[in-house]
Amino acid sequence: MKRIILASAFLSCASLSITSTAAPMDFDFSGTFTNDNDVVLLDFSVASDSTVTIFSSSWLSPDEGNGFDPILAIWDSSGNLIEEQDDGEVVGSTESNGVTYNHGTWDSYFTQFLVAGSYQASITQYDNFAVSTSLADGFERDGNPNFTFDENFGGATQALFNGVWDDSDPRTGAWEFHILNVDTASGPGPAPAPVPAPATLALFGLGLAGLGWRNRSKKA
C-alpha cells in the first residue's frame, strides 16, 4: 500500500480586459512523508519552451530536520517519463523567491529543457524508483510502506517511516522541493501567489483611481 499526495488546482489570478504575459516564476513546496513509499505529485506548466531548474533542499537543510534521500522525476502530460534522478551531486546553494536554499550531494538537482505544456513532478524516497517510463505503472516500492526497515537500509531499527538511508544516519520524513522558471505550479505544500504583470498592475491602479473619483463625485 502506498499513499499518493496529489496536486491541487493550479494557482491563478483574476483576468482583466487587458492581458499581458507574466514572467516565469519560482515555486517552493514542502511537506512530510508518513510512510517510506509515499509519493508526492506536483503539477506545473510552462507557457513557452523553457529551461526549468528542479531541486530538493531537504536532505541538507537543518530547517527541514535533515530529510530523507529524495528521488525527483518529471513526467509529461501523458505520464511519460522525461527525467528521473536520485543524486544531483551538486553541493552549494540556489535562490528561489529571494530565499537561499542549501543542497547537498544526495539532494536531487537538475535542469531540463521543456517545450510549452503541462507536466508533473514526482517525489519519492530512495530507492523507490519508477517501475517504467510510464507513470501509470507506479513505483518499485508501492506494496511496501516500510521498505527501509524491511530491507535493513543502514541498519534501520523501526517500522513505518524511519528515514534511515545510509550508515545508520537518522533522517526524518521531511521533503522540500523547488521548481524554477515555470508559469504555474500546484501541490500539497505552500507556494507563492502569482504576481500580476506590469500592464495588469497599471490597469489595476487606474481602476482604483477611477473608483476613488467616483466615490468623491457621489459625496459632492
Side-chain angles (χ1 to χ4, degrees), residues 62-83:
D63 293 337
E64 291 300 322
N66 294 114
F68 57 86
D69 180 7
I71 301 173
L72 300 182
I74 302 177
W75 311 82
D76 67 17
S77 58
S78 298
N80 299 309
L81 180 64
I82 296 174
E83 175 73 25

Side-chain angles (χ1 to χ4, degrees), residues 208-220:
L208 289 178
L211 288 174
W213 177 84
R214 185 178 179 183
N215 287 337
R216 288 196 297 273
S217 298
K218 286 185 175 181
K219 292 180 180 178

Side-chain angles (χ1 to χ4, degrees), residues 11-217:
L11 293 170
S12 62
C13 56
S15 59
L16 297 174
S17 57
I18 296 178
T19 60
S20 177
T21 302
M25 299 172 60
D26 301 338
F27 291 83
D28 308 305
F29 300 95
S30 62
T32 304
F33 275 15
T34 299
N35 300 318
D36 285 336
N37 66 346
D38 282 353
V39 177
V40 167
L41 297 178
L42 308 173
D43 290 318
F44 69 95
S45 69
V46 290
S48 59
D49 297 358
S50 306
T51 298
V52 175
T53 297
I54 295 178
F55 71 99
S56 67
S57 57
S58 46
W59 181 82
L60 188 63
S61 172
D63 293 337
E64 291 300 322
N66 294 114
F68 57 86
D69 180 7
I71 301 173
L72 300 182
I74 302 177
W75 311 82
D76 67 17
S77 58
S78 298
N80 299 309
L81 180 64
I82 296 174
E83 175 73 25
E84 183 177 40
Q85 185 196 81
D86 174 23
D87 301 331
E89 299 184 357
V90 177
V91 178
S93 59
T94 300
E95 183 177 296
S96 176
N97 292 304
V99 178
T100 298
Y101 295 94
N102 298 321
H103 38 82
T105 298
W106 286 277
D107 275 307
S108 298
Y109 192 110
F110 58 90
T111 59
Q112 181 71 43
F113 177 80
L114 299 173
V115 299
S118 299
Y119 299 88
Q120 277 192 310
S122 63
I123 305 172
T124 60
Q125 179 188 196
Y126 180 82
D127 61 354
N128 194 16
F129 289 98
V131 169
S132 71
T133 58
S134 174
L135 181 58
D137 290 337
F139 296 84
E140 294 179 358
R141 302 292 188 170
D142 282 350
N144 190 348
N146 310 315
F147 70 80
T148 63
F149 173 75
D150 292 345
E151 300 294 332
N152 195 32
F153 279 25
T157 57
Q158 57 184 350
L160 297 177
F161 192 89
N162 53 68
V164 178
W165 69 277
D166 181 75
D167 295 331
S168 298
D169 181 14
R171 293 276 158 176
T172 73
W175 58 269
E176 190 173 63
F177 172 91
H178 314 276
I179 180 167
L180 316 183
N181 198 39
V182 299
D183 291 271
T184 63
S186 64
V195 178
T200 304
L201 286 173
L203 180 62
F204 184 64
L206 289 173
L208 289 178
L211 288 174
W213 177 84
R214 185 178 179 183
N215 287 337
R216 288 196 297 273
S217 298

